Amino acid sequence: MTAVLLTFAWAVPLSEREAGKVLDGGRDRGLLAHLDGKLGDEWTAAENFLANYTTPPRRRILRKRRLAIRVGETGLPCELVVTWHPAYHAMTLVLATTITGAAADGPAAEFDLAIAILQSLQGRETSNGERGLHGRYGEKTFPSLLKAVTHVFEDLTKGCGLTEGLGRKGWCVELRSHDGHPPAQRVAADPRPFYGLATSDEGWRFVPREVARDALGPSWGTRSFVAAYTMAGGIVCLNSKDAEYVEHQAGLMRGPFGDAEPYFGIDSEIGGLDHGMLFILERVLIRMALADQWLASMKKTGSRTRLLRGSLDDILEMLHSVLPPEIDSLERRLVTSMGVERIIAQLDRQAEAMDEETRYAYENTVSARVTRLTVVTVVLTVVTIVLGVLQVLVSL
């Protein structure tokens, strides 16, 4: 049986002061709790094995039963992880859910439900009230999952004076089976449903197979049982890791190190946590959010002040991955697929233009000062000559 693990993420620039209000205020008001238990252990195992942070992220989780995904009377498992990334001064919200055949009805119905959830998280509303796909937060019902998450976000950021919203978004859909079969064969047989998950296109059955195959492009994977595809919306991954692989890796590690590496045994309900794809999605969204913040602030204020290239460099510095080289190659693909390079190039052009304007203004200032100094020098010279002539005349 294949389970569809769906994670949907947003990134928002956030200062250290604002982050303190969100995390501490969320804890004090009973909204957030530490990320612990099985999920916390899995997340820690993945980060310890795959990432190398200079300053580790601070992760919290929305308390149970506050946020819910419902299709009529049926509820789906739902978690919302809130993370402050001090190295980048940004916050991510990650909503995770799992869809199995039991939650769907009919052939490929889990794909259709996953796509409906993706659309609801992008703002599409149900007209069926509580009989359709809707979100619940606390005691309130919302016609779209985006509206429910937005209310969570507003509660968490209350009193921060935050002007940024949930604008930068992306998703990771992981299809999890445990058969060990090469998943690329499954995509080659019929790429259309995976194209639908990558684009949130409910009409995937009517897409020509060659169009879907070309759109997905080549797969990425460092194991025979993993295949990942990057698109403008995010990542679609097929993961068929089986018990044979887990047992082999555990035995391999016990010999030289005495214990099995916890990461290899991960079978998390969070899509993209295995193989670090969720970490990649977070970083790419943060980069887009920071670049967008700069561009929006310049357009809004119309400021002629020089854009510090150091600030741009801070964003570009994220290109130096904290992830292993083999995973870094997937990040580069996602950067291209989601259009980050275009945003950075636009920001770079703005920076260069303002740098040029600053140089021009500086040269004009210096030129004006030199001109004034020259005039003063000439006047002083003339005065000196006149005084000399007068002194000679007086002595006669």
Side-chain angles (χ1 to χ4, degrees):
M1 183 181 70
T2 299
V4 179
L5 311 182
L6 189 156
T7 52
F8 200 100
W10 297 265
V12 182
L14 204 69
S15 69
E16 186 171 357
R17 179 189 64 82
E18 292 166 339
K21 288 188 175 182
V22 170
L23 298 185
D24 296 339
R27 176 201 61 203
D28 296 342
R29 287 180 284 129
L31 296 175
L32 298 178
H34 283 279
L35 186 60
D36 51 19
K38 179 179 180 291
L39 179 56
D41 292 341
E42 291 171 338
W43 211 297
T44 299
E47 286 191 314
N48 287 346
F49 187 80
L50 295 171
N52 182 26
Y53 297 110
T54 53
T55 308
R58 296 171 57 191
R59 299 193 185 274
R60 302 289 186 269
I61 191 167
L62 190 70
R63 288 189 179 275
K64 293 285 186 182
R65 295 183 295 277
R66 285 192 169 272
L67 182 66
I69 300 173
R70 301 191 65 84
V71 185
E73 296 300 319
T74 303
L76 297 179
C78 178
E79 300 284 6
L80 184 70
V81 178
V82 180
T83 304
W84 157 240
H85 301 263
Y88 310 132
H89 285 84
M91 176 176 69
T92 56
L93 279 74
V94 175
L95 182 143
T97 188
T98 302
I99 303 163
T100 63
D105 183 20
E110 66 270 25
F111 295 152
D112 295 327
L113 180 53
I115 290 170
I117 290 172
L118 287 173
Q119 292 183 358
S120 184
L121 285 166
Q122 295 174 82
R124 184 171 183 177
E125 299 186 356
T126 181
S127 59
N128 290 338
E130 295 191 4
R131 292 177 297 170
L133 173 60
H134 62 281
R136 288 187 63 84
Y137 174 49
E139 300 300 320
K140 295 182 179 179
T141 299
F142 299 91
S144 75
L145 298 178
L146 177 60
K147 282 195 172 180
V149 175
T150 298
H151 275 73
V152 176
F153 175 75
E154 290 172 350
D155 273 359
L156 291 173
T157 59
K158 189 178 300 182
C160 292
L162 196 65
T163 58
E164 299 285 341
L166 301 178
R168 277 300 169 188
K169 61 187 182 298
W171 58 86
C172 178
V173 179
E174 179 180 342
L175 288 92
R176 178 77 59 77
S177 59
H178 301 86
D179 54 23
H181 295 161
Q185 297 176 2
R186 186 177 175 187
V187 178
D190 189 357
R192 295 174 301 168
F194 311 105
Y195 167 85
L197 292 170
T199 58
S200 67
D201 183 356
E202 76 289 342
W204 58 268
R205 290 177 177 82
F206 303 96
V207 175
R209 292 173 187 255
E210 61 274 14
V211 171
R213 189 173 294 110
D214 290 344
L216 287 172
S219 66
W220 172 94
T222 62
R223 298 290 185 269
S224 61
F225 54 79
V226 173
Y229 301 86
T230 60
M231 298 281 282
I235 302 172
V236 171
C237 164
L238 288 84
N239 182 4
S240 60
K241 180 172 69 176
D242 61 1
E244 180 183 0
Y245 173 80
V246 174
E247 292 168 4
H248 178 271
Q249 293 298 100
L252 197 64
M253 293 294 101
R254 286 193 187 99
F257 300 109
D259 290 308
E261 168 56 52
Y263 167 71
F264 294 120
I266 285 178
D267 190 17
S268 175
E269 297 179 358
I270 304 296
L273 196 58
D274 200 1
H275 298 283
M277 297 175 195
L278 182 55
F279 303 149
I280 290 172
L281 180 63
E282 281 187 313
R283 283 166 46 82
V284 173
L285 289 175
I286 288 170
R287 206 176 310 165
M288 296 172 75
L290 293 176
D292 271 352
Q293 184 187 47
W294 271 105
L295 291 172
S297 64
M298 286 187 294
K299 292 176 182 178
K300 182 177 180 180
T301 61
S303 173
R304 309 296 289 180
T305 305
R306 176 176 178 264
L307 172 63
L308 296 177
R309 293 302 295 274
S311 299
L312 174 60
D313 291 341
D314 289 342
I315 298 173
L316 296 178
E317 183 63 25
M318 294 179 68
L319 293 170
H320 303 296
S321 182
V322 298
L323 301 171
E326 62 271 19
I327 300 178
D328 183 53
S329 64
L330 178 62
E331 182 173 3
R332 289 196 296 271
R333 289 192 188 190
L334 188 59
V335 163
T336 301
S337 300
M338 297 190 74
V340 179
E341 292 171 334
R342 293 193 300 271
I343 300 174
I344 296 295
Q346 185 179 359
L347 185 59
D348 193 27
R349 288 194 297 270
Q350 293 277 3
E352 288 179 353
M354 288 193 173
D355 282 351
E356 183 63 32
E357 181 181 339
T358 301
R359 285 194 293 271
Y360 179 73
Y362 175 76
E363 289 170 0
N364 282 346
T365 301
V366 171
S367 177
R369 289 177 180 175
V370 169
T371 301
R372 288 196 295 270
L373 182 60
T374 302
V375 171
V376 171
T377 302
V378 170
V379 170
L380 290 176
T381 302
V382 171
V383 170
T384 301
I385 294 173
V386 171
L387 290 174
V389 171
L390 289 174
Q391 188 175 10
V392 170
L393 292 175
V394 169
S395 62
L396 294 176

